[in-house]
Amino acid sequence: RLDLTAEKRYTLSETSISLAGKLQEKLYFRLYLEGEMSPRFKRLKMEIRDLILEFREASKGKIELEIINPFTNVGDKEMEEILESYANKGINPVRDVDKENPDETRIKYLLPGAQLFYKNQTVSVNFFDYDVGLDPEENISRAIDNIEYEVANALRLVTTEQKKRVVVADGNGEM
């Protein structure tokens, strides 16, 4: 997309471009933010999707994006198990409260997070961290502002080869 903003909001940083360029093989990016949700979270989902497409372009097509709804055809008992399962993977569920009109309030659970699969590694990313001191719109705006950082950090984690260190201690036989 063409970035006409003064602060280059929709342009990846040099660091992000470099990290995406380091990919040697396909990276699979699975976003779990799909299904029925408030307009706020739809906006977050679209921003994440658009930014991942920018990362894919910077990686020369080595990033595959999949957006899934883990709650499709799920009952209440299964819902608890799914929420716990994703929390154990490091993806924190959130409650989306949607007040469309004064007579109706809908509450849905969402998983505004993703998993990156690269080589033999998996990294979980959370895109939304609720701050009680902010109103819902400010929370979403903060989440949108942090998308690039969260994705770049996850890319760094999966592309950085951890070298194992061996420590040898030598002494005079004393403990």
Side-chain angles (χ1 to χ4, degrees), residues 117-154:
F117 304 92
Y118 183 70
K119 295 186 178 179
N120 292 325
Q121 297 185 66
T122 303
V123 173
S124 296
V125 180
N126 284 297
F127 291 108
F128 185 80
D129 190 23
Y130 186 74
D131 183 342
V132 294
L134 301 175
D135 70 35
E137 285 301 323
E138 289 173 317
N139 272 299
I140 290 291
S141 292
R142 190 177 73 167
I144 289 170
D145 290 344
N146 289 326
I147 295 169
E148 181 179 356
Y149 169 79
E150 296 295 344
V151 173
N153 190 46

PDB file of all heavy atoms in Angstrom, residues 117-154:
ATOM      1  N   PHE A 117       5.453 -19.998  12.660  1.00  0.00           N
ATOM      2  CA  PHE A 117       6.104 -21.296  12.531  1.00  0.00           C
ATOM      3  C   PHE A 117       7.220 -21.150  11.508  1.00  0.00           C
ATOM      4  O   PHE A 117       6.968 -20.819  10.351  1.00  0.00           O
ATOM      5  CB  PHE A 117       5.100 -22.359  12.056  1.00  0.00           C
ATOM      6  CG  PHE A 117       3.892 -22.487  12.946  1.00  0.00           C
ATOM      7  CD1 PHE A 117       2.746 -21.755  12.688  1.00  0.00           C
ATOM      8  CD2 PHE A 117       3.905 -23.335  14.040  1.00  0.00           C
ATOM      9  CE1 PHE A 117       1.622 -21.866  13.499  1.00  0.00           C
ATOM     10  CE2 PHE A 117       2.783 -23.456  14.862  1.00  0.00           C
ATOM     11  CZ  PHE A 117       1.656 -22.722  14.584  1.00  0.00           C
ATOM     12  N   TYR A 118       8.449 -21.408  11.954  1.00  0.00           N
ATOM     13  CA  TYR A 118       9.599 -21.269  11.069  1.00  0.00           C
ATOM     14  C   TYR A 118      10.613 -22.337  11.434  1.00  0.00           C
ATOM     15  O   TYR A 118      11.009 -22.449  12.597  1.00  0.00           O
ATOM     16  CB  TYR A 118      10.216 -19.881  11.222  1.00  0.00           C
ATOM     17  CG  TYR A 118      11.376 -19.617  10.301  1.00  0.00           C
ATOM     18  CD1 TYR A 118      11.179 -19.458   8.930  1.00  0.00           C
ATOM     19  CD2 TYR A 118      12.661 -19.509  10.785  1.00  0.00           C
ATOM     20  CE1 TYR A 118      12.237 -19.199   8.086  1.00  0.00           C
ATOM     21  CE2 TYR A 118      13.730 -19.246   9.947  1.00  0.00           C
ATOM     22  CZ  TYR A 118      13.514 -19.093   8.590  1.00  0.00           C
ATOM     23  OH  TYR A 118      14.559 -18.841   7.756  1.00  0.00           O
ATOM     24  N   LYS A 119      10.995 -23.106  10.414  1.00  0.00           N
ATOM     25  CA  LYS A 119      11.881 -24.248  10.629  1.00  0.00           C
ATOM     26  C   LYS A 119      11.267 -25.099  11.733  1.00  0.00           C
ATOM     27  O   LYS A 119      10.132 -25.513  11.604  1.00  0.00           O
ATOM     28  CB  LYS A 119      13.303 -23.796  10.911  1.00  0.00           C
ATOM     29  CG  LYS A 119      13.943 -23.075   9.722  1.00  0.00           C
ATOM     30  CD  LYS A 119      15.396 -22.759   9.949  1.00  0.00           C
ATOM     31  CE  LYS A 119      15.992 -22.090   8.712  1.00  0.00           C
ATOM     32  NZ  LYS A 119      17.373 -21.736   8.869  1.00  0.00           N
ATOM     33  N   ASN A 120      11.953 -25.332  12.815  1.00  0.00           N
ATOM     34  CA  ASN A 120      11.387 -26.156  13.891  1.00  0.00           C
ATOM     35  C   ASN A 120      10.981 -25.328  15.099  1.00  0.00           C
ATOM     36  O   ASN A 120      10.892 -25.855  16.203  1.00  0.00           O
ATOM     37  CB  ASN A 120      12.395 -27.233  14.323  1.00  0.00           C
ATOM     38  CG  ASN A 120      12.604 -28.262  13.238  1.00  0.00           C
ATOM     39  OD1 ASN A 120      11.679 -28.596  12.509  1.00  0.00           O
ATOM     40  ND2 ASN A 120      13.825 -28.751  13.121  1.00  0.00           N
ATOM     41  N   GLN A 121      10.731 -24.064  14.896  1.00  0.00           N
ATOM     42  CA  GLN A 121      10.410 -23.185  16.017  1.00  0.00           C
ATOM     43  C   GLN A 121       9.003 -22.612  15.877  1.00  0.00           C
ATOM     44  O   GLN A 121       8.518 -22.395  14.781  1.00  0.00           O
ATOM     45  CB  GLN A 121      11.402 -22.028  16.078  1.00  0.00           C
ATOM     46  CG  GLN A 121      12.835 -22.465  16.328  1.00  0.00           C
ATOM     47  CD  GLN A 121      13.715 -21.248  16.505  1.00  0.00           C
ATOM     48  OE1 GLN A 121      13.556 -20.522  17.475  1.00  0.00           O
ATOM     49  NE2 GLN A 121      14.614 -21.027  15.573  1.00  0.00           N
ATOM     50  N   THR A 122       8.400 -22.365  17.027  1.00  0.00           N
ATOM     51  CA  THR A 122       7.099 -21.709  17.084  1.00  0.00           C
ATOM     52  C   THR A 122       7.179 -20.578  18.098  1.00  0.00           C
ATOM     53  O   THR A 122       7.680 -20.779  19.207  1.00  0.00           O
ATOM     54  CB  THR A 122       5.996 -22.700  17.525  1.00  0.00           C
ATOM     55  OG1 THR A 122       5.984 -23.797  16.612  1.00  0.00           O
ATOM     56  CG2 THR A 122       4.642 -22.036  17.537  1.00  0.00           C
ATOM     57  N   VAL A 123       6.694 -19.412  17.708  1.00  0.00           N
ATOM     58  CA  VAL A 123       6.673 -18.254  18.604  1.00  0.00           C
ATOM     59  C   VAL A 123       5.253 -17.711  18.625  1.00  0.00           C
ATOM     60  O   VAL A 123       4.617 -17.579  17.583  1.00  0.00           O
ATOM     61  CB  VAL A 123       7.654 -17.153  18.128  1.00  0.00           C
ATOM     62  CG1 VAL A 123       7.501 -15.886  18.949  1.00  0.00           C
ATOM     63  CG2 VAL A 123       9.085 -17.648  18.192  1.00  0.00           C
ATOM     64  N   SER A 124       4.765 -17.401  19.820  1.00  0.00           N
ATOM     65  CA  SER A 124       3.435 -16.809  19.975  1.00  0.00           C
ATOM     66  C   SER A 124       3.547 -15.301  20.141  1.00  0.00           C
ATOM     67  O   SER A 124       4.497 -14.809  20.753  1.00  0.00           O
ATOM     68  CB  SER A 124       2.733 -17.398  21.203  1.00  0.00           C
ATOM     69  OG  SER A 124       2.508 -18.769  21.012  1.00  0.00           O
ATOM     70  N   VAL A 125       2.568 -14.588  19.597  1.00  0.00           N
ATOM     71  CA  VAL A 125       2.544 -13.127  19.656  1.00  0.00           C
ATOM     72  C   VAL A 125       1.164 -12.685  20.127  1.00  0.00           C
ATOM     73  O   VAL A 125       0.153 -13.181  19.637  1.00  0.00           O
ATOM     74  CB  VAL A 125       2.782 -12.512  18.250  1.00  0.00           C
ATOM     75  CG1 VAL A 125       2.757 -11.002  18.324  1.00  0.00           C
ATOM     76  CG2 VAL A 125       4.067 -12.993  17.647  1.00  0.00           C
ATOM     77  N   ASN A 126       1.141 -11.756  21.063  1.00  0.00           N
ATOM     78  CA  ASN A 126      -0.113 -11.123  21.492  1.00  0.00           C
ATOM     79  C   ASN A 126      -0.133  -9.708  20.932  1.00  0.00           C
ATOM     80  O   ASN A 126       0.829  -8.965  21.091  1.00  0.00           O
ATOM     81  CB  ASN A 126      -0.195 -11.066  23.020  1.00  0.00           C
ATOM     82  CG  ASN A 126      -0.517 -12.406  23.607  1.00  0.00           C
ATOM     83  OD1 ASN A 126      -1.572 -12.954  23.355  1.00  0.00           O
ATOM     84  ND2 ASN A 126       0.415 -12.952  24.378  1.00  0.00           N
ATOM     85  N   PHE A 127      -1.238  -9.355  20.313  1.00  0.00           N
ATOM     86  CA  PHE A 127      -1.352  -8.020  19.728  1.00  0.00           C
ATOM     87  C   PHE A 127      -2.186  -7.064  20.556  1.00  0.00           C
ATOM     88  O   PHE A 127      -2.287  -5.893  20.217  1.00  0.00           O
ATOM     89  CB  PHE A 127      -1.954  -8.108  18.317  1.00  0.00           C
ATOM     90  CG  PHE A 127      -1.035  -8.739  17.328  1.00  0.00           C
ATOM     91  CD1 PHE A 127      -1.297 -10.005  16.844  1.00  0.00           C
ATOM     92  CD2 PHE A 127       0.100  -8.085  16.886  1.00  0.00           C
ATOM     93  CE1 PHE A 127      -0.454 -10.602  15.925  1.00  0.00           C
ATOM     94  CE2 PHE A 127       0.953  -8.663  15.978  1.00  0.00           C
ATOM     95  CZ  PHE A 127       0.677  -9.928  15.494  1.00  0.00           C
ATOM     96  N   PHE A 128      -2.783  -7.548  21.618  1.00  0.00           N
ATOM     97  CA  PHE A 128      -3.651  -6.677  22.410  1.00  0.00           C
ATOM     98  C   PHE A 128      -3.391  -6.916  23.885  1.00  0.00           C
ATOM     99  O   PHE A 128      -3.452  -8.045  24.363  1.00  0.00           O
ATOM    100  CB  PHE A 128      -5.129  -6.976  22.099  1.00  0.00           C
ATOM    101  CG  PHE A 128      -6.083  -6.055  22.788  1.00  0.00           C
ATOM    102  CD1 PHE A 128      -6.330  -4.790  22.296  1.00  0.00           C
ATOM    103  CD2 PHE A 128      -6.733  -6.451  23.941  1.00  0.00           C
ATOM    104  CE1 PHE A 128      -7.215  -3.931  22.935  1.00  0.00           C
ATOM    105  CE2 PHE A 128      -7.626  -5.607  24.588  1.00  0.00           C
ATOM    106  CZ  PHE A 128      -7.863  -4.343  24.078  1.00  0.00           C
ATOM    107  N   ASP A 129      -3.083  -5.836  24.585  1.00  0.00           N
ATOM    108  CA  ASP A 129      -2.856  -5.892  26.024  1.00  0.00           C
ATOM    109  C   ASP A 129      -3.759  -4.824  26.642  1.00  0.00           C
ATOM    110  O   ASP A 129      -3.549  -3.633  26.423  1.00  0.00           O
ATOM    111  CB  ASP A 129      -1.383  -5.620  26.336  1.00  0.00           C
ATOM    112  CG  ASP A 129      -1.026  -5.890  27.771  1.00  0.00           C
ATOM    113  OD1 ASP A 129      -1.743  -6.670  28.432  1.00  0.00           O
ATOM    114  OD2 ASP A 129      -0.017  -5.313  28.240  1.00  0.00           O
ATOM    115  N   TYR A 130      -4.757  -5.257  27.380  1.00  0.00           N
ATOM    116  CA  TYR A 130      -5.756  -4.333  27.906  1.00  0.00           C
ATOM    117  C   TYR A 130      -5.197  -3.513  29.059  1.00  0.00           C
ATOM    118  O   TYR A 130      -4.631  -4.045  30.000  1.00  0.00           O
ATOM    119  CB  TYR A 130      -7.005  -5.101  28.366  1.00  0.00           C
ATOM    120  CG  TYR A 130      -8.123  -4.186  28.779  1.00  0.00           C
ATOM    121  CD1 TYR A 130      -8.851  -3.492  27.831  1.00  0.00           C
ATOM    122  CD2 TYR A 130      -8.430  -4.007  30.114  1.00  0.00           C
ATOM    123  CE1 TYR A 130      -9.872  -2.628  28.201  1.00  0.00           C
ATOM    124  CE2 TYR A 130      -9.452  -3.149  30.496  1.00  0.00           C
ATOM    125  CZ  TYR A 130     -10.166  -2.468  29.537  1.00  0.00           C
ATOM    126  OH  TYR A 130     -11.164  -1.624  29.904  1.00  0.00           O
ATOM    127  N   ASP A 131      -5.352  -2.206  28.976  1.00  0.00           N
ATOM    128  CA  ASP A 131      -4.945  -1.275  30.028  1.00  0.00           C
ATOM    129  C   ASP A 131      -6.224  -0.647  30.581  1.00  0.00           C
ATOM    130  O   ASP A 131      -6.926   0.072  29.863  1.00  0.00           O
ATOM    131  CB  ASP A 131      -4.018  -0.212  29.453  1.00  0.00           C
ATOM    132  CG  ASP A 131      -3.500   0.751  30.500  1.00  0.00           C
ATOM    133  OD1 ASP A 131      -4.091   0.848  31.603  1.00  0.00           O
ATOM    134  OD2 ASP A 131      -2.499   1.442  30.218  1.00  0.00           O
ATOM    135  N   VAL A 132      -6.525  -0.913  31.852  1.00  0.00           N
ATOM    136  CA  VAL A 132      -7.769  -0.414  32.446  1.00  0.00           C
ATOM    137  C   VAL A 132      -7.814   1.110  32.501  1.00  0.00           C
ATOM    138  O   VAL A 132      -8.887   1.694  32.602  1.00  0.00           O
ATOM    139  CB  VAL A 132      -8.019  -0.993  33.866  1.00  0.00           C
ATOM    140  CG1 VAL A 132      -8.255  -2.480  33.798  1.00  0.00           C
ATOM    141  CG2 VAL A 132      -6.892  -0.653  34.807  1.00  0.00           C
ATOM    142  N   GLY A 133      -6.671   1.769  32.422  1.00  0.00           N
ATOM    143  CA  GLY A 133      -6.627   3.227  32.467  1.00  0.00           C
ATOM    144  C   GLY A 133      -6.994   3.884  31.153  1.00  0.00           C
ATOM    145  O   GLY A 133      -7.119   5.106  31.081  1.00  0.00           O
ATOM    146  N   LEU A 134      -7.163   3.092  30.103  1.00  0.00           N
ATOM    147  CA  LEU A 134      -7.491   3.631  28.789  1.00  0.00           C
ATOM    148  C   LEU A 134      -8.886   3.183  28.369  1.00  0.00           C
ATOM    149  O   LEU A 134      -9.341   2.117  28.764  1.00  0.00           O
ATOM    150  CB  LEU A 134      -6.485   3.131  27.745  1.00  0.00           C
ATOM    151  CG  LEU A 134      -5.015   3.474  27.965  1.00  0.00           C
ATOM    152  CD1 LEU A 134      -4.157   2.799  26.918  1.00  0.00           C
ATOM    153  CD2 LEU A 134      -4.799   4.982  27.956  1.00  0.00           C
ATOM    154  N   ASP A 135      -9.535   3.993  27.544  1.00  0.00           N
ATOM    155  CA  ASP A 135     -10.836   3.558  27.033  1.00  0.00           C
ATOM    156  C   ASP A 135     -10.599   2.552  25.898  1.00  0.00           C
ATOM    157  O   ASP A 135      -9.478   2.406  25.407  1.00  0.00           O
ATOM    158  CB  ASP A 135     -11.700   4.750  26.601  1.00  0.00           C
ATOM    159  CG  ASP A 135     -11.219   5.471  25.350  1.00  0.00           C
ATOM    160  OD1 ASP A 135     -10.694   4.820  24.428  1.00  0.00           O
ATOM    161  OD2 ASP A 135     -11.394   6.699  25.290  1.00  0.00           O
ATOM    162  N   PRO A 136     -11.643   1.837  25.471  1.00  0.00           N
ATOM    163  CA  PRO A 136     -11.467   0.786  24.456  1.00  0.00           C
ATOM    164  C   PRO A 136     -10.805   1.255  23.162  1.00  0.00           C
ATOM    165  O   PRO A 136      -9.965   0.551  22.604  1.00  0.00           O
ATOM    166  CB  PRO A 136     -12.904   0.299  24.203  1.00  0.00           C
ATOM    167  CG  PRO A 136     -13.621   0.580  25.476  1.00  0.00           C
ATOM    168  CD  PRO A 136     -13.015   1.838  26.003  1.00  0.00           C
ATOM    169  N   GLU A 137     -11.167   2.445  22.690  1.00  0.00           N
ATOM    170  CA  GLU A 137     -10.561   2.945  21.451  1.00  0.00           C
ATOM    171  C   GLU A 137      -9.063   3.211  21.625  1.00  0.00           C
ATOM    172  O   GLU A 137      -8.274   2.942  20.722  1.00  0.00           O
ATOM    173  CB  GLU A 137     -11.267   4.217  20.978  1.00  0.00           C
ATOM    174  CG  GLU A 137     -12.611   3.973  20.351  1.00  0.00           C
ATOM    175  CD  GLU A 137     -12.570   3.051  19.132  1.00  0.00           C
ATOM    176  OE1 GLU A 137     -11.608   3.109  18.342  1.00  0.00           O
ATOM    177  OE2 GLU A 137     -13.510   2.266  18.980  1.00  0.00           O
ATOM    178  N   GLU A 138      -8.688   3.756  22.785  1.00  0.00           N
ATOM    179  CA  GLU A 138      -7.264   4.010  23.042  1.00  0.00           C
ATOM    180  C   GLU A 138      -6.488   2.703  23.140  1.00  0.00           C
ATOM    181  O   GLU A 138      -5.348   2.613  22.679  1.00  0.00           O
ATOM    182  CB  GLU A 138      -7.093   4.822  24.325  1.00  0.00           C
ATOM    183  CG  GLU A 138      -7.553   6.259  24.202  1.00  0.00           C
ATOM    184  CD  GLU A 138      -7.526   6.990  25.540  1.00  0.00           C
ATOM    185  OE1 GLU A 138      -7.946   6.411  26.557  1.00  0.00           O
ATOM    186  OE2 GLU A 138      -7.066   8.150  25.545  1.00  0.00           O
ATOM    187  N   ASN A 139      -7.093   1.677  23.738  1.00  0.00           N
ATOM    188  CA  ASN A 139      -6.447   0.367  23.817  1.00  0.00           C
ATOM    189  C   ASN A 139      -6.202  -0.197  22.420  1.00  0.00           C
ATOM    190  O   ASN A 139      -5.128  -0.729  22.140  1.00  0.00           O
ATOM    191  CB  ASN A 139      -7.301  -0.606  24.645  1.00  0.00           C
ATOM    192  CG  ASN A 139      -6.986  -0.534  26.118  1.00  0.00           C
ATOM    193  OD1 ASN A 139      -5.869  -0.802  26.548  1.00  0.00           O
ATOM    194  ND2 ASN A 139      -7.980  -0.163  26.913  1.00  0.00           N
ATOM    195  N   ILE A 140      -7.190  -0.091  21.547  1.00  0.00           N
ATOM    196  CA  ILE A 140      -7.035  -0.590  20.173  1.00  0.00           C
ATOM    197  C   ILE A 140      -5.978   0.219  19.435  1.00  0.00           C
ATOM    198  O   ILE A 140      -5.129  -0.345  18.736  1.00  0.00           O
ATOM    199  CB  ILE A 140      -8.386  -0.564  19.411  1.00  0.00           C
ATOM    200  CG1 ILE A 140      -9.331  -1.618  19.981  1.00  0.00           C
ATOM    201  CG2 ILE A 140      -8.183  -0.766  17.915  1.00  0.00           C
ATOM    202  CD1 ILE A 140      -8.958  -3.055  19.723  1.00  0.00           C
ATOM    203  N   SER A 141      -5.999   1.536  19.583  1.00  0.00           N
ATOM    204  CA  SER A 141      -5.002   2.379  18.915  1.00  0.00           C
ATOM    205  C   SER A 141      -3.598   2.028  19.378  1.00  0.00           C
ATOM    206  O   SER A 141      -2.663   1.961  18.562  1.00  0.00           O
ATOM    207  CB  SER A 141      -5.280   3.859  19.186  1.00  0.00           C
ATOM    208  OG  SER A 141      -6.467   4.245  18.553  1.00  0.00           O
ATOM    209  N   ARG A 142      -3.435   1.791  20.659  1.00  0.00           N
ATOM    210  CA  ARG A 142      -2.118   1.397  21.182  1.00  0.00           C
ATOM    211  C   ARG A 142      -1.704   0.054  20.599  1.00  0.00           C
ATOM    212  O   ARG A 142      -0.541  -0.129  20.227  1.00  0.00           O
ATOM    213  CB  ARG A 142      -2.153   1.344  22.699  1.00  0.00           C
ATOM    214  CG  ARG A 142      -0.767   1.180  23.316  1.00  0.00           C
ATOM    215  CD  ARG A 142      -0.840   1.193  24.785  1.00  0.00           C
ATOM    216  NE  ARG A 142      -1.434  -0.090  25.190  1.00  0.00           N
ATOM    217  CZ  ARG A 142      -1.442  -0.546  26.403  1.00  0.00           C
ATOM    218  NH1 ARG A 142      -0.943   0.181  27.376  1.00  0.00           N
ATOM    219  NH2 ARG A 142      -1.961  -1.708  26.686  1.00  0.00           N
ATOM    220  N   ALA A 143      -2.644  -0.875  20.502  1.00  0.00           N
ATOM    221  CA  ALA A 143      -2.346  -2.185  19.921  1.00  0.00           C
ATOM    222  C   ALA A 143      -1.920  -2.046  18.458  1.00  0.00           C
ATOM    223  O   ALA A 143      -0.946  -2.674  18.020  1.00  0.00           O
ATOM    224  CB  ALA A 143      -3.560  -3.106  20.042  1.00  0.00           C
ATOM    225  N   ILE A 144      -2.613  -1.205  17.713  1.00  0.00           N
ATOM    226  CA  ILE A 144      -2.273  -0.985  16.305  1.00  0.00           C
ATOM    227  C   ILE A 144      -0.881  -0.377  16.176  1.00  0.00           C
ATOM    228  O   ILE A 144      -0.093  -0.771  15.318  1.00  0.00           O
ATOM    229  CB  ILE A 144      -3.350  -0.118  15.622  1.00  0.00           C
ATOM    230  CG1 ILE A 144      -4.632  -0.942  15.456  1.00  0.00           C
ATOM    231  CG2 ILE A 144      -2.866   0.430  14.286  1.00  0.00           C
ATOM    232  CD1 ILE A 144      -5.846  -0.147  15.027  1.00  0.00           C
ATOM    233  N   ASP A 145      -0.564   0.567  17.058  1.00  0.00           N
ATOM    234  CA  ASP A 145       0.760   1.193  17.024  1.00  0.00           C
ATOM    235  C   ASP A 145       1.886   0.199  17.296  1.00  0.00           C
ATOM    236  O   ASP A 145       3.021   0.406  16.873  1.00  0.00           O
ATOM    237  CB  ASP A 145       0.843   2.330  18.041  1.00  0.00           C
ATOM    238  CG  ASP A 145       0.004   3.535  17.650  1.00  0.00           C
ATOM    239  OD1 ASP A 145      -0.392   3.629  16.465  1.00  0.00           O
ATOM    240  OD2 ASP A 145      -0.275   4.369  18.532  1.00  0.00           O
ATOM    241  N   ASN A 146       1.595  -0.890  18.016  1.00  0.00           N
ATOM    242  CA  ASN A 146       2.624  -1.854  18.400  1.00  0.00           C
ATOM    243  C   ASN A 146       2.722  -3.076  17.491  1.00  0.00           C
ATOM    244  O   ASN A 146       3.545  -3.954  17.734  1.00  0.00           O
ATOM    245  CB  ASN A 146       2.389  -2.324  19.844  1.00  0.00           C
ATOM    246  CG  ASN A 146       2.693  -1.237  20.843  1.00  0.00           C
ATOM    247  OD1 ASN A 146       3.586  -0.417  20.647  1.00  0.00           O
ATOM    248  ND2 ASN A 146       1.939  -1.214  21.923  1.00  0.00           N
ATOM    249  N   ILE A 147       1.903  -3.161  16.460  1.00  0.00           N
ATOM    250  CA  ILE A 147       1.894  -4.360  15.607  1.00  0.00           C
ATOM    251  C   ILE A 147       3.274  -4.626  15.003  1.00  0.00           C
ATOM    252  O   ILE A 147       3.786  -5.739  15.077  1.00  0.00           O
ATOM    253  CB  ILE A 147       0.843  -4.248  14.480  1.00  0.00           C
ATOM    254  CG1 ILE A 147      -0.560  -4.194  15.066  1.00  0.00           C
ATOM    255  CG2 ILE A 147       0.969  -5.426  13.509  1.00  0.00           C
ATOM    256  CD1 ILE A 147      -1.633  -3.823  14.043  1.00  0.00           C
ATOM    257  N   GLU A 148       3.872  -3.620  14.389  1.00  0.00           N
ATOM    258  CA  GLU A 148       5.163  -3.846  13.735  1.00  0.00           C
ATOM    259  C   GLU A 148       6.207  -4.324  14.731  1.00  0.00           C
ATOM    260  O   GLU A 148       6.970  -5.252  14.451  1.00  0.00           O
ATOM    261  CB  GLU A 148       5.661  -2.590  13.023  1.00  0.00           C
ATOM    262  CG  GLU A 148       6.982  -2.834  12.314  1.00  0.00           C
ATOM    263  CD  GLU A 148       7.517  -1.624  11.562  1.00  0.00           C
ATOM    264  OE1 GLU A 148       6.840  -0.584  11.507  1.00  0.00           O
ATOM    265  OE2 GLU A 148       8.629  -1.738  11.023  1.00  0.00           O
ATOM    266  N   TYR A 149       6.245  -3.715  15.906  1.00  0.00           N
ATOM    267  CA  TYR A 149       7.209  -4.129  16.918  1.00  0.00           C
ATOM    268  C   TYR A 149       7.001  -5.594  17.300  1.00  0.00           C
ATOM    269  O   TYR A 149       7.960  -6.368  17.386  1.00  0.00           O
ATOM    270  CB  TYR A 149       7.107  -3.249  18.167  1.00  0.00           C
ATOM    271  CG  TYR A 149       7.905  -3.809  19.312  1.00  0.00           C
ATOM    272  CD1 TYR A 149       9.279  -3.646  19.364  1.00  0.00           C
ATOM    273  CD2 TYR A 149       7.286  -4.545  20.318  1.00  0.00           C
ATOM    274  CE1 TYR A 149      10.021  -4.199  20.398  1.00  0.00           C
ATOM    275  CE2 TYR A 149       8.018  -5.101  21.355  1.00  0.00           C
ATOM    276  CZ  TYR A 149       9.385  -4.924  21.387  1.00  0.00           C
ATOM    277  OH  TYR A 149      10.113  -5.488  22.405  1.00  0.00           O
ATOM    278  N   GLU A 150       5.758  -5.985  17.548  1.00  0.00           N
ATOM    279  CA  GLU A 150       5.465  -7.358  17.969  1.00  0.00           C
ATOM    280  C   GLU A 150       5.856  -8.366  16.896  1.00  0.00           C
ATOM    281  O   GLU A 150       6.435  -9.414  17.186  1.00  0.00           O
ATOM    282  CB  GLU A 150       3.978  -7.514  18.330  1.00  0.00           C
ATOM    283  CG  GLU A 150       3.530  -6.695  19.520  1.00  0.00           C
ATOM    284  CD  GLU A 150       4.160  -7.100  20.844  1.00  0.00           C
ATOM    285  OE1 GLU A 150       4.740  -8.210  20.938  1.00  0.00           O
ATOM    286  OE2 GLU A 150       4.062  -6.315  21.798  1.00  0.00           O
ATOM    287  N   VAL A 151       5.553  -8.066  15.640  1.00  0.00           N
ATOM    288  CA  VAL A 151       5.894  -8.979  14.546  1.00  0.00           C
ATOM    289  C   VAL A 151       7.408  -9.037  14.363  1.00  0.00           C
ATOM    290  O   VAL A 151       7.988 -10.121  14.220  1.00  0.00           O
ATOM    291  CB  VAL A 151       5.189  -8.572  13.235  1.00  0.00           C
ATOM    292  CG1 VAL A 151       5.675  -9.424  12.068  1.00  0.00           C
ATOM    293  CG2 VAL A 151       3.678  -8.684  13.392  1.00  0.00           C
ATOM    294  N   ALA A 152       8.068  -7.887  14.381  1.00  0.00           N
ATOM    295  CA  ALA A 152       9.525  -7.858  14.213  1.00  0.00           C
ATOM    296  C   ALA A 152      10.218  -8.615  15.341  1.00  0.00           C
ATOM    297  O   ALA A 152      11.184  -9.358  15.103  1.00  0.00           O
ATOM    298  CB  ALA A 152      10.023  -6.409  14.149  1.00  0.00           C
ATOM    299  N   ASN A 153       9.740  -8.454  16.556  1.00  0.00           N
ATOM    300  CA  ASN A 153      10.323  -9.168  17.687  1.00  0.00           C
ATOM    301  C   ASN A 153      10.156 -10.684  17.515  1.00  0.00           C
ATOM    302  O   ASN A 153      11.087 -11.455  17.769  1.00  0.00           O
ATOM    303  CB  ASN A 153       9.700  -8.702  18.999  1.00  0.00           C
ATOM    304  CG  ASN A 153      10.435  -9.236  20.194  1.00  0.00           C
ATOM    305  OD1 ASN A 153      11.658  -9.204  20.259  1.00  0.00           O
ATOM    306  ND2 ASN A 153       9.685  -9.772  21.145  1.00  0.00           N
ATOM    307  N   ALA A 154       8.979 -11.120  17.074  1.00  0.00           N
ATOM    308  CA  ALA A 154       8.750 -12.549  16.845  1.00  0.00           C
ATOM    309  C   ALA A 154       9.646 -13.064  15.719  1.00  0.00           C
ATOM    310  O   ALA A 154      10.204 -14.161  15.820  1.00  0.00           O
ATOM    311  CB  ALA A 154       7.285 -12.800  16.530  1.00  0.00           C
TER     312      ALA A 154
END
